[in-house]
């Protein structure tokens, strides 16, 4: 194809290859989701439709893009971890973050109806993304722990806050005032003594967020088969298939990682 | 809010500030759009519904994000030029490219119905993006010229190719064979002598692509007003409003830029 | 040559190509030069031997490396400006800054004797460097103006400070106290009224720093020549030669740049 | 201090912080050292004076800069490994590479006389540098192995080549021709059968290069002490001191690393 004299502008593109042998993490955050949640009447403190849609979109990212080994989401954010040895798009950071942001965003609109039914989506939502590299398994696990600790801190706060408002009859200003300076123990105590709520029995989805990983599951399929010298007949075939599975559990401790040893590669 | 011991992982995030006083260009490209076009039965060589949706999504990007001074699109790609002095998100490259990719992608699904009516969108589409910096007006104009020259080259090829197939009865393999090694003049000649088509009279939208810029337009609004000592009455108010306008014209030569002197800032 | 299984480690090297069409500036700063100056008994406020050696080393950088179009130095720093279109070492930032730092440092030791005679260099000095890009001529000139303004501010301060100490009999603590909060005008006034010194007549080298540029100078060389049918004889040949010339003048205003139009390339 | 209107140019400086928890390696290479070696009559295939000066300069880098845990050199190159958790100069890549290049270069000229005596240094030599990050101990060791394998390959070649020339009477062109396509075993065989040289008994310095590490050594110092109720007397005090020690041994296998367990930090 004929080259134009303008072709030289291609050389202004910078190389943004990610350092080899590091986990590539892309984290997405909702843009102005506080306002988005209000306009779409999300229930407080958590809206299960919104969380479901968030997870559905994240699943779409894992299934459509390559080499995501684990993803973790809560509130209006989702983090995607690509395996440390991935060579997808030559490890170019821009490819990773824009593909994730794009696939997630189009999926969010595409699957809206599945979660919100007839309630209309008022405008196309936005998500921003970033790439962060982690050189060791410890660093990566600490990153995921940081996000899950953040989930815990925010959810505890929001749970007490909205309980004070919804059941305690406080205004939002009063609830905010009431919680100023309180520690986790204080918040647990308010829930328990004033509202008879044991925070540790609240929904795991809300307390732990959502972890997506690839897992093999056995699938039984009925196939019509013709075996030589026999009549054609139905045979039940069991096959193993890798699918994205959601977990709502602690990922800070070692248990989860011991139960799923295939997620991380050794530091070597 | 309590900080966890995992907070240190934030320091692994790299700074990706764009060099000051350079135009920041984000270009999006459709992911596997060849297949997407086939599955959604795009007409050949150009599908006006698809081009309309592309432009509608680009308009959404310009209206929702800040400081885009011009955007140019064709085929399955769109480039967005941010003003050289923008301080949006501290000029962080990741913010620019992911916001554009996200807003464009969610808009593409959101506005699908407006252009494709009852024809369903089969799956959420993806777009990847990149950031490129241009230090001078000349470099920026050469970038846009490069994309428009690309539009011209591809559209001329596609026009002849599909004319040979659709009107000339050739198979796609024969059409490809026929065009091997032909220059622009040869292609024009095939169209003219064999199919009585003057390429230069073909649609500007297809030949020149779509350029979006901000323009002031006068808007007349009827307002019910009450002036002291007079009866309330309808008054027609004319006000100037900045809106995104589409152009399908040459942007390689000087004319367009002389007609719209406000787009570029001087090299200083 | 046989490749080892360790070769893969090369891929960990990051690309650090400088954006095209921008001036590449490398600035060096002396490491712990306050202490170095004391240990080598530099005269205060300026030591002409040290400034001479600094300039000699900078000249070595310009002569040995490619595409430096102008360099500016003062105190213990020197900035080197590479032409915006340079392709030296594929514009890799690391090559620019380490070559400059290395050549400057080895030259500083190599030429020490020429400026300090028998006074020994006590240990090998260090300089650190950085690369900064400037997209336009205005930005580049503002960078150089920034450094020259810095030279002026520091030299005025140091001149008054050391005059108060050396001629006024103040201790360094008293001189510092005396100058706290004074403006440029105040400092000029102290020099003039108390010590009969007109700052504007002080050495240009100290007030303006040193600017190095390439200039053509005519050189007369005597050559022994043999012209056909004549006797061999001495002929004086004048030839033009590009050499590095030092200037101690204002580079903030336009005059210098109008006098040397070849230094900068147009913004295009 | 007064700020000038030019100060804005500081914002054009890019952040070049090295990713946390990775080893920072700076490698220096001599500039045009083939020519430098010829002009300074380096003996072939190895010049012990030149190697000594190289190592002396590297030692200066280790002693003057912070956090270098190991350095490895051969021929005209030297690699410096900073500990993975270093916070020297906020991990800015430019600081690391320019400080190393500068300190090494000034030291090379400064210590020249110690190794070359009265033979004059003809001009100030140059070294370029680069920064490479390694996320794991395995990657770092593979990097060092790569350099030592390179040392072996080059030294074997050079040893045979110069033996063929110096003892075998071949021209350099003939020697080159003779070695074309030979494997390591062939080269060993030439040395052994034709020149009675057992390559494995050649100097370890030449075959293995030089590894510098920090080691504690006991130092005995005589101090004049006054103990209460006793006469003043000389006391021999033994104290432990960290100094840079040179090794010429294999660093590809595990032995060296087991013998010096303090060099690397665990991957965590």
């Amino acid at each position: 194809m004929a080259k134009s004299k303008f072709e030289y502008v291609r050389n202004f593109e910078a190389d943004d290859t990610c350092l080899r042998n590091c986990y590539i993490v892309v984290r997405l955050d909702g843009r102005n989701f506080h306002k988005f949640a209000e306009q779409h009447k999300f229930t407080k403190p958590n809206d299960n439709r919104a969380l479901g849609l968030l997870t559905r979109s994240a699943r779409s990212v894992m299934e459509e893009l390559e080499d995501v080994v684990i993803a973790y989401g809560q509130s209006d954010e989702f983090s995607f971890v690509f395996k440390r040895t991935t060579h997808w798009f030559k490890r170019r950071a821009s490819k990773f973050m824009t593909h994730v942001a794009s696939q997630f965003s189009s999926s969010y609109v595409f699957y809206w109806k599945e979660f919100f039914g007839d309630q209309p989506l008022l405008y196309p939502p936005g998500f921003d993304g970033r790439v962060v590299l982690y050189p060791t398994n410890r660093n990566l696990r600490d990153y995921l722990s940081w996000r899950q600790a953040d989930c815990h801190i925010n959810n505890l706060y929001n749970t007490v806050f909205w309980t004070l408002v919804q059941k305690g009859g406080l205004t939002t200003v009063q609830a905010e005032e009431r919680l100023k300076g309180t520690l986790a123990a204080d918040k647990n105590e308010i829930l328990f003594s004033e509202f008879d709520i044991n925070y540790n029995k609240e929904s795991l989805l809300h307390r732990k967020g959502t972890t997506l990983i690839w897992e093999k599951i056995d699938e039984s399929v009925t196939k019509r088969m013709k075996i030589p010298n026999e009549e054609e007949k139905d045979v039940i075939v069991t096959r193993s298939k890798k699918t994205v599975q959601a977990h709502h559990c602690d990922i800070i401790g070692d248990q989860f990682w011991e139960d799923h040893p295939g997620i991380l590669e050794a530091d070597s």
Side-chain angles (χ1 to χ4, degrees), chain A residues 123-147:
Chain A
Y123 54 86
F127 296 86
D128 75 339
R130 76 197 71 199
V131 158
V132 197
L133 303 180
Y134 290 106
T136 64
N137 286 345
R138 184 72 263 159
N139 295 149
L140 178 70
R141 281 189 51 186
D142 285 349
Y143 170 78
L144 292 168
S145 297
W146 175 50
R147 299 322 305 145

Side-chain angles (χ1 to χ4, degrees), chain A residues 34 38 44 157-158 160-180:
Chain A
H34 190 74
E38 268 182 19
K44 295 292 184 181
Y157 183 93
N158 292 335
V160 191
F161 180 88
W162 288 105
T163 301
L164 286 170
V165 171
Q166 292 164 354
K167 299 190 180 165
L170 269 57
T171 62
T172 53
V173 173
Q174 290 170 325
E176 206 186 324
E177 193 60 34
R178 174 78 195 278
L179 293 175
K180 204 167 274 173

Side-chain angles (χ1 to χ4, degrees), chain A residues 86-93 95-96 99:
Chain A
T86 184
H87 277 289
W88 195 54
F89 283 108
K90 295 180 187 164
R91 298 176 73 84
R92 276 187 284 162
K95 294 285 182 181
F96 280 76
H99 267 127

Side-chain angles (χ1 to χ4, degrees), chain A residues 28 57 61 99-110 125-127:
Chain A
L28 295 182
S57 306
V61 168
H99 267 127
V100 170
S102 172
Q103 190 68 36
F104 191 91
S105 303
S106 64
S107 298
Y108 197 91
V109 181
F110 190 82
F127 296 86

Side-chain angles (χ1 to χ4, degrees), chain A residues 77-90:
Chain A
E77 70 166 61
F78 233 102
S79 298
F80 300 88
V81 181
F82 292 79
K83 70 176 188 182
R84 66 199 302 174
T85 54
T86 184
H87 277 289
W88 195 54
F89 283 108
K90 295 180 187 164

Side-chain angles (χ1 to χ4, degrees), chain A residues 10-253:
Chain A
R10 300 181 78 159
N11 298 322
F12 285 67
E13 224 172 293
D15 177 285
D16 61 347
T17 305
C18 294
L19 180 61
R20 297 295 194 289
N21 202 23
C22 293
Y23 288 102
I24 300 175
V25 175
V26 176
R27 182 167 79 251
L28 295 182
D29 289 281
R31 186 182 182 221
N32 296 333
F33 251 59
H34 190 74
K35 196 177 140 204
F36 184 83
E38 268 182 19
Q39 289 169 317
H40 291 88
K41 302 188 172 48
F42 284 10
T43 58
K44 295 292 184 181
N46 293 290
D47 188 304
N48 286 346
R49 301 166 302 170
L51 290 173
L53 177 53
L54 199 81
T55 298
R56 181 66 192 83
S57 306
R59 182 189 297 270
S60 165
V61 168
M62 280 184 80
E63 286 166 352
E64 292 303 321
L65 310 189
E66 269 169 53
D67 291 344
V68 178
V69 290
I70 185 169
Y72 175 76
Q74 50 120 341
S75 182
D76 65 344
E77 70 166 61
F78 233 102
S79 298
F80 300 88
V81 181
F82 292 79
K83 70 176 188 182
R84 66 199 302 174
T85 54
T86 184
H87 277 289
W88 195 54
F89 283 108
K90 295 180 187 164
R91 298 176 73 84
R92 276 187 284 162
S94 55
K95 294 285 182 181
F96 280 76
M97 64 182 129
T98 58
H99 267 127
V100 170
S102 172
Q103 190 68 36
F104 191 91
S105 303
S106 64
S107 298
Y108 197 91
V109 181
F110 190 82
Y111 295 114
W112 174 269
K113 231 191 221 326
E114 280 188 21
F115 296 86
F116 285 87
D118 286 341
Q119 182 183 325
L121 175 62
L122 302 175
Y123 54 86
F127 296 86
D128 75 339
R130 76 197 71 199
V131 158
V132 197
L133 303 180
Y134 290 106
T136 64
N137 286 345
R138 184 72 263 159
N139 295 149
L140 178 70
R141 281 189 51 186
D142 285 349
Y143 170 78
L144 292 168
S145 297
W146 175 50
R147 299 322 305 145
Q148 192 169 57
D150 187 80
C151 173
H152 166 68
I153 290 165
N154 291 332
N155 190 60
L156 176 55
Y157 183 93
N158 292 335
T159 301
V160 191
F161 180 88
W162 288 105
T163 301
L164 286 170
V165 171
Q166 292 164 354
K167 299 190 180 165
L170 269 57
T171 62
T172 53
V173 173
Q174 290 170 325
E176 206 186 324
E177 193 60 34
R178 174 78 195 278
L179 293 175
K180 204 167 274 173
T182 55
L183 303 177
D186 303 325
K187 296 194 189 75
N188 275 307
E189 185 57 23
I190 291 173
L191 285 173
F192 193 69
S193 60
E194 300 183 25
F195 301 97
D196 203 24
I197 294 170
N198 182 344
Y199 180 71
N200 291 322
K201 293 194 172 155
E202 290 293 290
S203 153
L204 278 166
L205 163 61
H206 302 158
R207 287 191 294 126
K208 299 298 180 191
T210 300
T211 303
L212 299 178
I213 55 174
W214 287 100
E215 288 184 280
K216 274 192 187 137
I217 51 166
D218 285 341
E219 212 181 33
S220 294
V221 193
T222 307
K223 282 195 171 182
R224 191 81 190 163
M225 294 182 97
K226 174 76 187 75
I227 293 158
N229 304 325
E230 285 188 38
E231 296 223 354
E232 201 181 71
K233 60 177 177 181
D234 279 350
V235 178
I236 295 171
V237 178
T238 303
R239 59 182 182 196
S240 179
K241 200 186 155 189
K242 282 189 85 182
T243 56
V244 174
Q245 297 293 317
H247 294 259
H248 311 292
C249 64
D250 175 78
I251 57 171
I252 297 178

